Structure formats: C-alpha cells, structure tokens
Amino acid sequence: MPRPEKMNSGSLMHLVDSGDARAPELADRYAHNIAVGIANVQQTIAPTHFILHGDVALGGSPMADAIAAHVRRLVPVRPGFTIQISIGEPGDGAALLGAAGLVLSDLMQLSI
C-alpha cells in the first residue's frame, strides 16, 4: 500500500474507490476485525447501539456498512433485536464524551 505509515480507514476507502486491486481485501479484513470487537462487546454486555469514532469513522458510510455486514454474520439473530452502528466524530472527543456520560449517569443514577 502507498505510504502505509500514514494509512487510515479514510485513505483505505479512497484506495478502494480509486480501483486499487489490493485495497478491497484489506478494507474487508479491517472491517471484520472491528466487527469481531463489536460482536464480543455485544455478546458480553448486550448493547444495541455502537458509535464508531476515531480512525474507523474516517472510512465513512462505506466502512460502517462493511462493519455492520460482518456484525450481522457474527451476532446471532434474535426477534425484535437490532444492532445499530452509527458514525461519530473521527477525533478522540467522542470517547471522552461517552466516558463522561457514563460517569454522570452513574452518579445521577440514570440509565442511558
């Protein structure tokens, strides 16, 4: 891949769009690895909404769609149960806001 030290999911998806022959397989592998993490979290604590942030968010909707497709294959289907995957901010702010929200909800005994 060109400039692998600067590669992120956004530049990877750009390579996919531009027709680089090697990029689709790498993008699929990347999406699968993220999906495995989501599936493990989902099966452990059962959240139904995941917000992608950081490097993953740079891949935009095509990356989110690829991840969602892998998650659907990895997580058993249950009636009335849908996993949602959304794209958040590419920066670290989303993780910090989420952590702050968990602390505040615990302190105020709110359910998110």
Side-chain angles (χ1 to χ4, degrees), residues 31 35 38 52 63-73 83-85:
I38 289 173
L52 305 176
M63 181 57 72
D65 293 344
I67 291 168
H70 282 290
V71 169
R72 283 192 297 273
R73 284 191 289 276
I83 297 174
Q84 296 177 310
I85 296 180

Side-chain angles (χ1 to χ4, degrees), residues 6-26:
K6 302 252 185 208
M7 186 67 61
N8 61 42
S9 68
S11 56
L12 179 57
M13 296 313 290
H14 178 72
L15 288 173
V16 170
D17 290 342
S18 68
D20 185 297
R22 301 163 296 173
E25 181 183 349
L26 183 57

Side-chain angles (χ1 to χ4, degrees), residues 28-91:
D28 186 64
R29 188 180 315 166
Y30 181 95
H32 179 263
N33 288 339
I34 298 296
V36 167
I38 289 173
N40 285 334
V41 168
Q42 199 290 315
Q43 293 295 289
T44 303
I45 57 177
T48 58
H49 192 186
F50 293 85
I51 301 171
L52 305 176
H53 66 90
D55 181 82
V56 180
L58 294 172
S61 294
M63 181 57 72
D65 293 344
I67 291 168
H70 282 290
V71 169
R72 283 192 297 273
R73 284 191 289 276
L74 293 167
V75 176
V77 176
R78 288 179 234 145
F81 176 82
T82 304
I83 297 174
Q84 296 177 310
I85 296 180
S86 303
I87 302 171
E89 296 294 320

